[in-house]
Amino acid sequence: MLNIYRGREGMISWALHRLTGLGVLLFLLIHIADIYVINYGPEAFDELLFIYHNPFFRAMEVLLVAALYYHGLNGLRIIAIDFWDRAVLYQRQLFWAVVIAFFVTFIPTAILMLRPVLWAN
Amino acid sequence: MQVNLKILRYNPEIDSKAHFETYTVEAEPTDRVLDALNEVKWTRDGTLTYRRSCAHGVCGSDAMRINGRNALACKLLIQDVGDSMTIEPLMGFRVIKDLVIDMDQFWENYKKIKPFLINDDQAPAGRERLQSQEEREVFDDTTKCIMCAACTTACPITWTNDKWVGPAAIVAAHRFIYDSRDQGQDERLNILNDRSGVWRCRTVFNCTDACPRDIKVTRAIEQVKRTMLYDNM
């Protein structure tokens, strides 16, 4: 879609919002499945938790945080647009504010999350 | 200057699917994209088909996708596009031939919102229904619409959902909803208060970016949403 219509900030923000929303939904489904394992007792559940110590899953968790941060921050932008008339006029600047806020919050979080894995290796 | 036009061609009588053809024509930087298209049609290939009428950005016939963005070919100068451009039909509706799309659904949506004054009161004898400058200002922006469909066909919802009423119809509704002389506000709000009405809008802003009349389309849609929300509270 992005390669057939050259949309600007509004369209990019919307496409990212969709993408991150679907990503978070996918995690939620996996999460419901892994929480369900608790029905088979604490041992079974603890055993399953090894996947969260796997470096690949840790990397995926970092992506999950990225998706949550973006979706949340852009969600605030959309709320502003919906409820505050003037925000519509500054939607482009608000998008760049979202991008800046995203990196300011995401980079320290990613470092904190990846440090144990990178140290272990 | 030499201008390269890569045009998406489709003739339903010959082609099974659309294909690009490239033409090189001579044009001035201050010419419009429409002039270059006319040059192709008049001197190279008379079968090239597109809509145009007034050629001065008023009738809204020649909206098309130029370098991936909707614009009026008669308003866009070649110096603002560059010497190489890709021209494609608007998205979301069936292509009839080359750059001509089937606008039936677009007009159906327009008719749906009742784009005419609704007022059962007797008009004052011998004069217009007056309104103040402030009352007129409220819907000034949406009176500028020329129904070119650049907004509706730039909207990702239009590309995938054929029930979506589309930004152009909401702009037309906005023009009457906030008109102090009009009494059809509830009627129009009811029509738009629907899954395929204003609530389908995802504030992508492609419509606002595409509007050749600089109408703040998304702003108008958001105003209608808020009117529905607050009037029901």
Side-chain angles (χ1 to χ4, degrees):
Chain A
M1 208 172 269
L2 287 170
N3 58 354
I4 48 175
Y5 194 89
R6 224 157 42 88
R8 301 187 55 169
E9 287 89 341
M11 181 166 160
I12 295 164
S13 77
W14 163 79
L16 286 172
H17 202 78
R18 268 289 151 94
L19 198 70
T20 53
L22 288 171
V24 172
L25 180 69
L26 181 71
F27 166 76
L28 199 65
L29 295 175
I30 298 170
H31 191 50
I32 290 170
D34 70 47
I35 288 294
Y36 179 76
V37 173
I38 227 165
N39 282 317
Y40 297 98
E43 295 80 15
F45 184 70
D46 284 348
E47 213 163 295
L48 187 79
L49 283 183
F50 81 92
I51 53 170
Y52 288 102
H53 299 296
N54 178 300
F56 173 74
F57 269 84
R58 181 52 66 99
M60 294 301 283
E61 276 186 307
V62 173
L63 281 183
L64 172 68
V65 168
L68 285 169
Y69 279 7
Y70 175 79
H71 204 79
L73 289 165
N74 193 55
L76 294 174
R77 170 178 166 273
I78 295 171
I79 291 169
I81 288 167
D82 278 341
F83 286 96
W84 183 36
D85 191 43
R86 291 197 67 76
V88 176
L89 306 177
Y90 297 102
Q91 61 94 8
R92 203 162 279 155
Q93 289 87 333
L94 281 172
F95 171 68
W96 291 112
V98 164
V99 170
I100 292 166
F102 169 79
F103 282 112
V104 167
T105 51
F106 174 66
I107 291 172
T109 315
I111 292 171
L112 283 173
M113 289 178 77
L114 288 172
R115 207 157 50 179
V117 184
L118 295 175
W119 257 340
N121 292 339
Chain B
M1 67 188 278
Q2 297 266 307
V3 180
N4 286 315
L5 295 102
K6 190 176 150 197
I7 305 172
L8 192 63
R9 303 288 311 266
Y10 171 68
N11 181 346
E13 288 169 8
I14 306 169
D15 303 324
S16 55
K17 61 182 232 197
H19 63 280
F20 281 106
E21 272 183 46
T22 306
Y23 306 88
T24 306
V25 295
E26 193 64 37
E28 295 294 325
T30 48
D31 280 347
R32 293 111 14 114
V33 172
L34 180 65
D35 296 313
L37 277 174
N38 286 340
E39 189 65 17
V40 172
K41 185 173 175 69
W42 296 341
T43 66
R44 304 295 165 78
D45 186 350
T47 65
L48 177 66
T49 308
Y50 49 92
R51 288 191 177 107
R52 84 243 187 273
S53 190
C54 81
H56 288 80
V58 179
C59 74
S61 302
D62 64 350
M64 51 190 75
R65 197 155 31 116
I66 301 165
N67 281 351
R69 276 182 192 153
N70 288 356
L72 292 184
C74 61
K75 264 195 99 173
L76 198 57
L77 300 185
I78 285 169
Q79 64 189 10
D80 295 329
V81 192
D83 57 4
S84 185
M85 62 189 86
T86 304
I87 303 179
E88 296 158 281
L90 299 173
M91 291 166 66
F93 296 118
R94 184 179 66 89
V95 174
I96 297 174
K97 189 182 178 187
D98 293 340
L99 303 173
V100 176
I101 57 158
D102 182 354
M103 304 262 290
D104 282 0
Q105 186 59 45
F106 180 79
W107 298 119
E108 281 308 313
N109 289 337
Y110 177 59
K111 281 190 263 179
K112 208 186 289 179
I113 57 89
K114 301 178 189 282
F116 42 81
L117 185 83
I118 298 174
N119 190 332
D120 294 333
D121 295 345
Q122 188 68 41
R127 58 187 277 192
E128 313 86 338
R129 297 174 200 271
L130 295 179
Q131 69 183 167
S132 69
Q133 288 186 8
E134 290 74 24
E135 284 169 334
R136 176 62 169 70
E137 183 63 31
V138 177
F139 62 98
D140 186 65
D141 200 36
T142 44
T143 61
K144 299 185 295 190
C145 180
I146 54 173
M147 307 302 297
C148 68
C151 59
T152 296
T153 57
C155 176
I157 316 295
T158 304
W159 306 337
T160 54
N161 182 337
D162 54 10
K163 292 192 177 67
W164 160 234
V165 66
I170 301 172
V171 162
H174 181 284
R175 183 251 168 274
F176 288 102
I177 287 169
Y178 300 101
D179 188 334
S180 59
R181 300 163 295 188
D182 190 87
Q183 296 174 343
Q185 192 190 54
D186 291 344
E187 218 173 310
R188 292 195 187 85
L189 289 177
N190 271 333
I191 295 161
L192 291 176
N193 191 4
D194 184 82
R195 281 174 64 112
S196 302
V198 285
W199 304 112
R200 185 57 62 186
C201 170
R202 295 290 181 266
T203 57
V204 178
F205 286 93
N206 275 6
C207 52
T208 308
D209 291 339
C211 181
R213 308 281 297 173
D214 295 327
I215 299 171
K216 295 173 188 71
V217 183
T218 314
R219 185 189 199 187
I221 299 172
E222 292 292 288
Q223 283 170 347
V224 175
K225 282 182 187 172
R226 279 196 298 271
T227 298
M228 280 175 194
L229 188 67
Y230 296 138
D231 284 5
N232 288 331
M233 276 165 78

